[in-house]
Amino acid sequence: MPKFSFKVAPIDISWEQMSTLWRAADEASFFTGGWLLDHFYPSRGPIRPTWEAWTLLASLAAITSRLRLGVMVSSNTFRHPALLAHMAASVDEISGGRLELGLGAGWNQAEHDAFGIDLGDAVSRWGRLAEALEIVDGLLTQDSYSFSGKHFRLDNAQLMHKPVQQPRPPFVIGGIGPKRTLPLVARWADHWNYFNPTEPPEVLAEYKERLAALCVSVDRSITDIEVSAQMRMPATSGELTDLAGRLLAAGADHIVVTAFAPFDDGTIDRIAAGLAPL
């Protein structure tokens, strides 16, 4: 059976609206999980009020009891991996072991420039992400951890507060780049998130084949990795059913539907209605 999740863009939404949506989804049985995106600014359009993702996630973890939850995906440029590991352990505890730990290389140049954060070129971004995955894994699973890389260094670091989930929460890696992202997915991911709105849904099968070959090269199987496909909320329920169905047919195990403002009390119900026939 496929899994279905919702993702709420935390832009132009009040805490009251956000908490109402998540409580409604948590109380129903349809959705497996809920997600947030990680940006300081909207990725398109004018600058508008945008919540910080991990602070918000911790708050949502405290008011829900069933949903798996996470940030899809955290920009590795925003937080030192040691800090992210500590945050992840805290949110996993708050949620009772429901966290899915999303990581990505980061990409939005405008918001990095505005806040004085170094985005870097592609080589440095993916180099930092590779090191961050090692660091987060090491801190969450080992009593004491040291690391010496090109971008980060840890000296006998001890994260005493360990996550509920053992050995650690699942790693979710987002992206489709065959040279840099997919090799990291093959090595580290428990869950791969595919988002590719510019190509037909059927192309997912080709990317999944590439990932399967990379998994073999690191002595893993594609069956070890959950494959989710992310899509924006279409205009109609019929369009949602069609697109999600095609992604499932192409090899997705899990559909994630992202909703943007304006929100109302029926937003979650509309997503569920479009997915229910599948």
Side-chain angles (χ1 to χ4, degrees), residues 216-263:
V216 171
S217 71
V218 293
D219 199 26
R220 295 187 74 195
S221 168
I222 187 68
T223 59
D224 297 333
I225 302 174
E226 180 178 339
V227 178
S228 67
Q230 185 178 171
M231 54 182 288
R232 298 182 187 276
M233 179 73 171
T236 70
S237 180
E239 290 174 312
L240 175 53
T241 305
D242 175 68
L243 182 53
R246 291 166 66 190
L247 288 166
L248 291 171
D253 309 307
H254 183 169
I255 299 296
V256 181
V257 180
T258 304
F260 290 83
F263 302 98

Side-chain angles (χ1 to χ4, degrees), residues 140 179 192 194:
L140 292 178
K179 294 182 179 180
W192 170 49
Y194 172 88

Side-chain angles (χ1 to χ4, degrees), residues 3-221:
K3 296 180 180 179
F4 300 117
S5 293
F6 64 93
K7 180 177 175 182
V8 179
I11 303 165
D12 287 336
I13 184 172
S14 67
W15 166 247
E16 182 179 5
Q17 287 177 307
M18 181 71 78
S19 58
T20 296
L21 291 175
W22 278 67
R23 283 193 178 104
D26 190 57
E27 290 168 2
S29 60
F30 184 80
F31 291 103
T32 297
W35 304 87
L36 300 170
L37 58 77
D38 188 25
H39 285 289
F40 294 159
Y41 284 169
S43 56
R44 61 184 65 182
I47 297 171
R48 304 186 304 284
T50 305
W51 291 87
E52 195 284 315
W54 274 89
T55 311
L56 186 59
L57 188 71
S59 302
L60 293 167
I63 65 166
T64 57
S65 60
R66 182 187 62 81
L67 291 168
R68 302 289 297 176
L69 44 81
V71 176
M72 187 176 277
V73 287
S74 307
S75 175
N76 188 52
T77 55
F78 290 168
R79 305 165 190 88
H80 191 286
L83 172 62
L84 182 65
H86 206 159
M87 293 164 64
S90 298
V91 174
D92 200 49
E93 175 74 28
I94 292 167
S95 68
R98 292 181 285 127
L99 176 68
E100 306 242 342
L101 209 175
L103 277 165
W107 65 272
N108 191 325
Q109 185 72 59
E111 64 185 337
H112 285 76
D113 290 345
F115 288 93
I117 300 170
D118 179 35
L119 177 61
D121 60 18
V123 173
S124 65
R125 291 205 308 275
W126 268 269
R128 280 182 284 172
L129 178 59
E131 292 187 10
L133 288 161
E134 289 194 47
I135 290 168
V136 174
D137 177 78
L139 286 172
L140 292 178
T141 61
Q142 299 183 32
D143 292 336
S144 178
Y145 184 69
S146 296
F147 181 88
S148 181
K150 181 177 180 180
H151 305 282
F152 302 107
R153 181 178 178 275
L154 279 73
D155 183 13
N156 193 33
Q158 299 179 54
L159 186 63
M160 302 302 292
H161 189 88
K162 298 298 186 186
V164 173
Q165 297 177 88
Q166 292 295 313
R168 57 163 171 75
F171 277 180
V172 185
I173 300 178
I176 61 173
K179 294 182 179 180
R180 297 185 178 94
T181 302
L182 292 186
L184 291 177
V185 173
R187 169 67 179 85
W188 287 106
D190 304 288
H191 173 173
W192 170 49
N193 180 245
Y194 172 88
F195 180 56
N196 188 13
T198 63
E199 295 186 276
E202 289 73 21
V203 175
L204 166 59
E206 299 175 18
Y207 284 93
K208 192 172 177 180
E209 286 181 7
R210 295 176 188 173
L211 178 59
L214 290 166
C215 286
V216 171
S217 71
V218 293
D219 199 26
R220 295 187 74 195
S221 168

